Amino acid sequence: MGDWVELGRVELLQIQRRLLATDDYDPSGLLPADQLLLTPDGVLASHDGGWVVDSHHRAHPERGHWNPARVLSVGFTSHYRKMEERFGIAPVGVAGENVVVSVGELVPPSRLAGGLKLRGGQGELVLGDIEVARPCVEFTRFIAGRSEAGAYDLAEERDFLEGGTRGFVMPVTGPGFVVAVGDQVLVRD
């Protein structure tokens, strides 16, 4: 593996206070934060002097099946520009990723094969076992503006959102780590 090189900086941090995709997709459950606490059980957001639990966290009361391989999600501003070109509007963070990184180029899954490293005031955290976040039907309906479309009717749009355009998911290992807006994000060269 090569050396770590900067990919970009953390532009947005957020959690999902509740599940966004039930029958429809509702981004009003997103809570922006200046800091997130990343743990193997999931993500918490610093808010009003305390910590708010993300809907994918093991302790969230509305959580269905907990999957430790999917407790953190990461997206990229360049992918939002790609979605905006296709769908007309795609506010940064609307897909619900916990961490959105400001980058100029598209980030294919192969670019993340060596992992991601977060570097900030608390030190460094290396993230691995990164997988593509598959676009759900509800989000695809929402971003495409086709609220009544079925999964079959959205095949072209879902294909477009594949390959990391919709974001990436991963586990968190080690002790809790605080990430802040502006922190550096690195990948293997």
Side-chain angles (χ1 to χ4, degrees), residues 50-126:
W51 295 97
V52 180
V53 178
D54 182 72
S55 67
H56 296 92
H57 193 286
R58 176 182 236 160
H60 194 278
E62 294 178 10
R63 172 192 54 78
H65 171 72
W66 178 71
N67 185 344
R70 301 177 60 85
V71 297
L72 176 65
S73 58
V74 175
F76 301 99
T77 56
S78 56
H79 295 209
Y80 277 96
R81 287 190 298 275
K82 180 180 175 182
M83 285 188 276
E84 186 173 37
E85 288 171 9
R86 171 71 185 261
F87 301 117
I89 187 167
V92 172
V94 75
E97 302 97 340
N98 301 118
V99 178
V100 179
V101 182
S102 179
V103 296
E105 73 278 353
L106 295 176
V107 181
S110 60
R111 187 76 169 116
L112 305 178
L116 277 176
K117 181 186 280 191
L118 302 175
R119 180 182 289 158
Q122 191 180 357
E124 298 179 340
L125 175 68
V126 175

Side-chain angles (χ1 to χ4, degrees), residues 34-58:
D34 292 329
Q35 294 183 328
L36 296 181
L37 174 60
L38 312 181
T39 76
D41 287 334
V43 177
L44 298 104
S46 176
H47 182 71
D48 285 342
W51 295 97
V52 180
V53 178
D54 182 72
S55 67
H56 296 92
H57 193 286
R58 176 182 236 160

Side-chain angles (χ1 to χ4, degrees), residues 89-172:
I89 187 167
V92 172
V94 75
E97 302 97 340
N98 301 118
V99 178
V100 179
V101 182
S102 179
V103 296
E105 73 278 353
L106 295 176
V107 181
S110 60
R111 187 76 169 116
L112 305 178
L116 277 176
K117 181 186 280 191
L118 302 175
R119 180 182 289 158
Q122 191 180 357
E124 298 179 340
L125 175 68
V126 175
L127 301 162
D129 298 322
I130 299 169
E131 298 179 12
V132 167
R134 306 282 321 270
C136 66
V137 171
E138 295 83 2
F139 176 73
T140 307
R141 282 184 191 135
F142 174 82
I143 198 73
R146 299 181 62 198
S147 61
E148 301 301 319
Y152 178 79
D153 300 322
L154 293 168
E156 184 179 317
E157 290 90 344
R158 289 180 80 192
D159 285 346
F160 174 83
L161 293 168
E162 283 286 353
T165 300
R166 161 58 187 81
F168 298 87
V169 293
M170 62 213 68
V172 174

